[in-house]
Amino acid sequence: MNKILEVKDLSVSFDTYGAEVKAVRGVSFDLEEKETLAIVGESGSGKSVTAQSIMRLIQMPPGKFVNGSILFNGEDLTEKPEKQMENIRGKEIGMIFQDPMTSLNPTMTIGKQIAEGLIKHRNMSKKEAHLKGIELLKLVGIPTPEVRINQYPHEYSGGMRQRAMIAIALACNPKILIADEPTTALDVTIQAQILDLMRGLQEETGTAIILITHDLGIVANMASRVAVMYGGKIVETGTVDEIFYHPKHPYTWGLLGSMPKLDIEEEELQVIPGSPPDLADPPKGCPFVTRCPYAMSACTKQMPAYTNISDTQKTACWLLDDRAPEVQIPESAIVGGSEINA
Amino acid sequence: MAEPQITNKDFQPITVHHSEAEKIAGESASYWKDAWRRFKKNKLAIAGIIVILLLSFMAIFGGTISGQNYYEQDLLNANNPPSSDHWFGTDNLGRDVFARTWYGAQISLFIGLMAAIIDIVIGVIWGAIAGYFGGKTDEIMMRIADILYGLPYLLVVILLLVVLPQKLWTLIIAMTITGWINMARIVRGQVMQLKAQEFIMASKSLGAGNGRVLFKHLIPNTTGQILVTLTLTIPSAIFTESFLSFIGIGVQAPLASWGTMANDGLPALQYYPYQLFFPAIFICLTMLAFNVIGDGMRDALDPKERR
Amino acid sequence: MVTYILKRLGYIILSLFFIITITFFLMHAAPGGPFASERALTPAIEAQMNEAYGLNDPIHVQYLDYLVSAFTFDFGPSFKYVGQEVSDIIRRGLPYSLVLGLEAMFIALAIGVLLGVIAALKHNRFGDYTAMIIAVLGISVPSFIMAAVLQYIFAIQMQLLPIARFETFAHTILPAVALASTPLAFIARLMRSSMLDVLSTDYIKTAKSKGLGQRVVTYRHGLRNAILPVISYIGPLVASILTGSFVIEKIFGIPGLGNEFVVSVTNRDYTVIMGTTVFFSVLLLVSILLVDLVYGLVDPRIKVAAKGDKG
């Protein structure tokens, strides 16, 4: 398999009033052709900033790249001039956003919004782009696309808007699709349809997907590999099986524990107590230390290095140090085998 | 940066309290303290406050310090340019412009302040009642406000002044005829938002009456908005007064305001421009100062809106 | 669409009815007003008044008569100037005011939008601060002072432009700029905050993520949405220009409608006051209707256009 995207030691900060918010602090991961990588974490963990950094959609200033590189086809996107980035966006990498209610331009027809990318990257005429737009709308499952293409976003339902967004993002057959919480704002039934659509289209087009989400249920359904982010860092990464069946990081345990399970009767959902760290003044050691039930004084002093659990699984946790006490994975984080069919 | 050494004893479990963890973020100051801290950073707004304080001081004491008074006519010394005797010169009747400027300041600031305060009082009561009771009451009250609001403000004021006897208080009343509507709308919106919140429900369930809820809880919680609107209403009231006086239906002789002085100075613009420019500068300075204070307050009280 | 316009026209007629009624009774209540019997009139005018208004009729008959004639734009004779019809005065003053007003509106909109866009694009940088300082000054300097300052600088000191009257294009520049200054500043502030809002929306990110250039994103996606609040401001803008014309026409000696109105107010020329007030109201109500229709065309979310699309 070929790596098409390599993020190395990426750090992104925002200059705000009197403080530098270190939203992403040394993140590394890679993406292979045709695979789906999920980046999981709660809000404020830095997952969206990471995604938008790849597209260079971060406003600079106040945002800035502090360190690291984003290699796409061997070229560093952090250093590309803005003009050249325009030929990557939409053409090589497409993106869909969380809220389809706000991510479409309200004063432009869906057809024109799809056509823009085609005209720019595929040199199509307006007419060709229009016809291709109808084809794309059909592909993403919008009925009577010939009519719908001339409508405005407010005439679409939420699910249909997200389908239209997918059509826009996939219009030029990008090699990578970044989906930033694509179903969070949708009804549960619509969520499943959109995910099915994305999976189907991936099989058809072979696009690699980076799926940003906080919902492990979606991860199990969609992804082949998972990176768990917390406090601007990736704390654990591995294949879906490894993350679900052999998680090593207490934060991953917490995430798994807070996932609703069908086969176990529980009184209430587990939650991880506390709130994520203030990234304007990030802790010196592991960011999870304040909420970790297994915290040791080492955790407050220094960020643990990654321990290679397997060829594919890496975890950054002091519990994996030889000197640390033995800790058992909590009951709540054990996932029943029947749910996962990845 | 040298990494700290991790030793065996660092692998003892510890407990980190959440409260401790959250302390790092710094103690959260109260709403008003926080707002004041942000306001202080706004140099323009602070300068605005200093300007207003100076102008108010001069309005009270400025008329006497030059040793001239505002009413004495001296036709032999009419239209004199600024000099050591008459710091801002004299007008076409030989009256001292410096003394008149501060006398005019009294009138202009008084009218501006009074009109703004009346606007706010009516607006707050109207808006609070409409927003609090909602339903039909709200519908009728806001419909009345809408009808009044649809007409150009100055046109309505002028029509009223044609009818009313020309006195200072009638001028103030005419100026407040539709000025309160803006405030009423703001307060209504705030109250409707607030009344759905828990603390109001809690207060009501404890048996607090409508009046108590309205005056003890709802109105105090809109104080920030009211203050901002008050600050921004004063300059527009000062503008309205000077506008009306400038077209000759505002403040009437023997009273004088900056507006009437500007009106008197206009025909002499070509030869004695200072007669117009002194009152004009002070009108602009006052409006500017209030505007930057109001902007500063809005930014300070609503950090989300801050740009 | 047609029903919508008809409905709106209905509202306009209703509002006008209220305005006419209120002004009629206000003028009746005026001390020494045209309808007060103790007022000393020249015999010529008195005869005219009696004929035009039927002053001997009971008040409700007078009111109905006035209502009927107002809707036919017949406001009767001037109270001060013998032999002049109010509608003639309006017809005479309107062209001046129209030219001045349209020119001022154009200046306010064009430069206001431009300043606002520059400020938003150079957010928190030099261009932003400059534009916003200009805007705060514009709001704080009343138009009549701006007019005097412009006259002093450009007409008296530099002698570049004529000081008064309204004959050539050069005559129109100073009054139009003075009249435009305050609404211009408002529009600049409105445009800036609206543009900043729009530029931070998701659909701007979507547009960028399609690989569109900065210019296309800013103008095709940003400006078109950001300008909507400015379009809804055109209604208040007309009102502001209209009242502003009262002082500006006076200062520049322009024989427009605003000047006629102020003169009629100082002369207590009640029939002219009533006539111009009603006329101003019509002007305002109609322009607000036009603005709403334009808004419907620009923003597809508004129902007018949705109906329009389907015929």
Side-chain angles (χ1 to χ4, degrees), chain C residues 10-267:
Chain C
Y11 277 122
I12 288 180
I13 289 167
L14 201 67
S15 309
L16 268 181
F17 168 73
F18 276 117
I19 290 164
I20 293 170
T21 309
I22 291 166
T23 40
F24 180 83
F25 286 105
L26 261 185
M27 293 304 125
H28 256 270
F35 311 103
S37 48
E38 75 271 19
R39 195 179 164 103
L41 297 169
T42 61
I45 291 180
E46 184 151 23
Q48 234 179 10
M49 290 299 295
N50 279 331
E51 190 192 336
Y53 292 101
L55 284 182
N56 302 323
D57 291 341
I59 188 157
H60 65 270
V61 177
Q62 290 182 32
Y63 167 65
L64 285 178
D65 282 351
Y66 188 79
L67 212 55
V68 171
S69 46
F71 273 99
T72 52
F73 268 106
D74 172 17
F75 300 109
S78 162
F79 205 66
K80 262 275 163 8
Y81 304 105
V82 185
Q84 289 201 18
E85 289 285 314
V86 175
S87 44
D88 286 336
I89 294 177
I90 292 175
R91 210 167 291 136
R92 199 174 56 213
L94 184 62
Y96 297 102
S97 298
L98 215 54
V99 170
L100 178 64
L102 289 176
E103 204 175 316
M105 276 179 69
F106 176 77
I107 294 172
L109 283 170
I111 300 182
V113 167
L114 190 72
L115 274 183
V117 170
I118 290 173
L121 294 182
K122 306 274 175 208
H123 186 209
N124 281 344
R125 277 176 281 166
F126 181 72
D128 186 14
Y129 295 128
T130 317
M132 283 309 104
I133 285 171
I134 294 175
V136 169
L137 282 177
I139 289 170
S140 302
V141 179
S143 55
F144 59 91
I145 291 176
M146 180 63 81
V149 171
L150 290 175
Q151 269 187 336
Y152 188 73
I153 296 174
F154 293 101
I156 296 174
Q157 291 294 316
M158 297 167 79
Q159 307 224 321
L160 278 176
L161 292 163
I163 188 163
R165 290 198 316 226
F166 211 67
E167 282 148 17
T168 64
F169 176 69
H171 286 89
T172 67
I173 295 173
L174 291 184
V177 170
L179 190 51
S181 63
T182 304
L184 184 156
F186 268 108
I187 291 170
R189 286 168 71 131
L190 189 63
M191 190 67 207
R192 172 177 179 269
S193 71
S194 160
M195 192 77 181
L196 283 175
D197 278 346
V198 167
L199 288 181
S200 66
T201 55
D202 284 352
Y203 58 82
I204 291 295
K205 280 202 170 129
T206 304
K208 274 189 199 157
S209 77
K210 280 188 259 187
L212 303 176
Q214 183 67 40
R215 195 178 295 261
V216 177
V217 173
T218 308
Y219 295 102
R220 198 191 295 162
H221 291 269
L223 194 60
R224 175 157 176 168
N225 287 291
I227 208 151
L228 293 174
V230 174
I231 292 178
S232 12
Y233 179 72
I234 292 180
L237 172 68
V238 173
S240 159
I241 296 276
L242 198 143
T243 46
S245 73
F246 300 169
V247 276
I248 297 299
E249 290 182 4
K250 176 189 162 176
I251 295 175
F252 287 93
I254 299 165
L257 216 48
N259 203 7
E260 295 288 0
F261 179 69
V262 173
V263 170
S264 70
V265 165
T266 34
N267 286 343

Side-chain angles (χ1 to χ4, degrees), chain C residues 284-307:
Chain C
L284 201 69
L285 290 167
V286 170
S287 41
I288 288 171
L289 172 65
L290 287 179
V291 168
D292 284 355
L293 292 178
V294 170
Y295 195 98
L297 291 179
V298 183
D299 188 346
R301 284 165 297 186
I302 301 296
K303 282 189 196 108
V304 194
K307 277 182 200 155

Side-chain angles (χ1 to χ4, degrees), chain B residues 62-127:
Chain B
T64 53
I65 58 173
S66 69
Q68 305 283 346
N69 61 45
Y70 72 89
Y71 49 83
E72 205 169 290
Q73 302 186 2
D74 179 4
L75 291 174
L76 290 177
N77 282 314
N79 293 327
N80 275 0
S83 66
S84 59
D85 267 356
H86 301 284
W87 296 349
F88 287 178
T90 58
D91 67 6
N92 60 343
L93 296 173
R95 294 174 297 191
D96 183 59
V97 176
F98 185 81
R100 286 185 73 72
T101 299
W102 301 119
Y103 175 69
Q106 284 180 12
I107 306 274
S108 287
L109 290 175
F110 174 76
I111 294 176
L113 208 62
M114 280 309 288
I117 289 173
I118 295 173
D119 277 352
I120 298 300
V121 170
I122 300 176
V124 167
I125 294 174
W126 194 278

